[in-house]
Amino acid sequence: MSVEGGNNARLIVTCFAKSRPSSQDDFRSQSVACGPTFSQLFASQLSPAQLVLDSYCTLAPGIFQSVYSITNPRPNPAKFRHHASITAFEALHAVEIVWDIVPDGLSKGFRPVRLAVFDMDSTLINEEVIDELARSIGITSAVSAITARAMNGELDFEHSLRERLALLKGVKADVWDELKKTITIAEGAKELIDYLRERHVLTVVVSGGFAPMALWLKEQLGLTYAFANHLVVSPSNAAYQYPHLSGELSSEHPIVVPEYKQLVLESLAKEHSIPLSETFVVGDGSNDLPMLGAAGLGVAWRAKARVQREAPQRLNGTTLSDLIFLLGNHDSKGT
């Protein structure tokens, strides 16, 4: 997590109930747990001189936020969520907590964001495109098994990508037209991107998937930039009497490996004179970990097991629009 600024800062703690309250009693119970009960627990982890509760509010049913003033030495939010007392609190009250630190005086303590970078597969869209390509020629199981291991960090990403692509040799080159009819945009993605665009935030998809779908998604959501892998298309031949995927990556374009994703984030930030502390990244796979760690706020969304453990922050909601509550400028009720 990148944080720049002076000695003073704000710690923003957002508490998401795993199931939203169905009654006033449930609402009051969650509010007390995520408010006074949590603050007492949290204060015990830092000395009173380091931590002052500035505000506590209800952002929406089942979503609560506390803002604390802190001074050096600044705590590491990525470490807080792994503390035994915090994980026990989350389990007891069926909540997930997202932690963020912003320099004092910026956006009244809310997360300043000028650049937002997203993974595509299983993040902005519900599917893994390479698995859908495999489905088109009846080899879903073989490819999906490799995909699952690669996204959990069990396999080298580039090697596993090339291995899967080799299995896809012969897929019709116009397969993208059919995929665009079946691929589904994730719940809340449009609302989140619209929110960011209205605030003049640069929005980017950077995918270890494939350019035709990334460019389609850019158009569908109105994103600023799209980066993804390019595939080689071969002409008709004796074996395949139609234009088809060769099973290889184009040598004329960069391969979107984990390090390249981070490079895109850092290069765009530099190009647009945006400090990394004002960047926001969302992804679900192990290949997203470098850019998640480099961002001002990096959130693993409904992520693979390893990513849940290693990402700076994680959230497992049902709609991407929940991420708006981490960025400020929302209506709330003080409690």
Side-chain angles (χ1 to χ4, degrees):
M1 173 177 287
S2 174
V3 180
E4 299 148 9
N7 290 340
N8 297 325
R10 299 287 182 98
L11 174 64
I12 304 172
V13 182
T14 310
C15 186
F16 294 83
K18 290 185 178 179
S19 60
R20 301 301 156 83
S22 58
S23 68
Q24 278 298 109
D25 287 343
D26 288 343
F27 174 81
R28 281 191 290 269
S29 176
Q30 289 178 351
S31 182
V32 169
C34 292
T37 302
F38 176 77
S39 290
Q40 292 170 12
L41 168 68
F42 185 44
S44 69
Q45 308 303 317
L46 292 174
S47 71
Q50 292 175 300
L51 180 71
V52 176
L53 177 62
D54 291 336
S55 65
Y56 171 67
C57 64
T58 300
L59 303 179
I63 304 176
F64 311 91
Q65 190 172 83
S66 303
V67 179
Y68 300 85
S69 292
I70 56 174
T71 55
N72 278 346
R74 291 184 187 177
N76 183 344
K79 290 183 178 179
F80 273 139
R81 72 180 189 89
H82 294 295
H83 194 283
S85 62
I86 299 300
T87 56
F89 177 91
E90 289 181 313
L92 177 63
H93 296 288
V95 298
E96 287 187 320
I97 299 170
V98 177
W99 311 76
D100 190 17
I101 288 184
V102 298
D104 200 9
L106 284 181
S107 302
K108 298 181 180 180
F110 290 116
R111 157 58 50 193
V113 172
R114 294 167 58 195
L115 171 63
V117 179
F118 298 87
D119 177 41
M120 180 172 72
D121 296 33
S122 298
T123 301
L124 288 179
I125 63 174
N126 293 314
E127 297 81 8
E128 292 284 339
V129 170
I130 197 165
D131 293 348
E132 298 306 306
L133 291 174
R135 192 184 310 280
S136 72
I137 57 173
I139 58 169
T140 308
S141 297
V143 171
S144 295
I146 301 172
T147 299
R149 293 182 64 198
M151 290 301 98
N152 199 41
E154 299 173 28
L155 302 172
D156 175 76
F157 182 80
E158 182 177 347
H159 177 78
S160 67
L161 176 60
R162 291 184 183 278
E163 182 181 357
R164 286 173 287 166
L165 285 177
L167 296 174
L168 297 176
K169 180 178 180 179
V171 170
K172 291 183 177 180
D174 61 2
V175 67
W176 312 110
D177 295 332
E178 290 303 313
L179 288 186
K180 291 171 188 177
K181 299 174 185 177
T182 59
I183 293 295
T184 54
I185 294 174
E187 180 73 23
K190 185 178 187 305
E191 291 80 359
L192 174 58
I193 298 302
D194 285 349
Y195 173 90
L196 293 166
R197 290 177 61 206
E198 287 170 5
R199 287 152 181 81
H200 310 291
V201 177
L202 299 177
T203 55
V204 184
V205 59
V206 55
S207 173
F210 308 113
M213 298 309 301
L215 292 170
W216 169 80
L217 186 64
K218 174 179 178 287
E219 181 180 335
Q220 294 297 304
L221 294 177
L223 302 170
T224 315
Y225 298 104
F227 300 86
N229 290 305
H230 292 254
L231 301 180
V232 175
V233 174
S234 296
S236 303
N237 56 33
Y240 304 100
Q241 298 178 4
Y242 48 83
H244 57 278
L245 303 184
S246 72
E248 298 175 341
L249 291 164
S250 170
S251 60
E252 298 178 1
H253 298 87
I255 300 172
V256 184
V257 294
E259 296 76 16
Y260 184 77
K261 286 192 168 194
Q262 180 179 348
L263 178 63
V264 167
L265 168 71
E266 294 172 344
S267 297
L268 287 175
K270 183 177 181 180
E271 178 183 343
H272 294 278
S273 301
I274 298 171
L276 285 174
S277 60
E278 297 183 22
T279 62
F280 176 50
V281 169
V282 182
D284 77 301
S286 64
N287 59 331
D288 298 314
L289 283 169
M291 69 172 182
L292 287 168
L297 177 60
V299 180
W301 175 254
R302 299 174 61 88
K304 310 306 183 285
R306 176 194 168 193
V307 186
Q308 296 263 358
R309 294 190 302 270
E310 297 184 15
Q313 303 298 324
R314 59 84 175 90
L315 190 60
N316 294 282
T318 59
T319 172
L320 283 166
S321 61
D322 278 354
L323 296 175
I324 293 171
F325 293 110
L326 303 177
L327 306 178
N329 295 323
H330 35 248
D331 296 328
S332 60
K333 299 178 181 179
T335 58

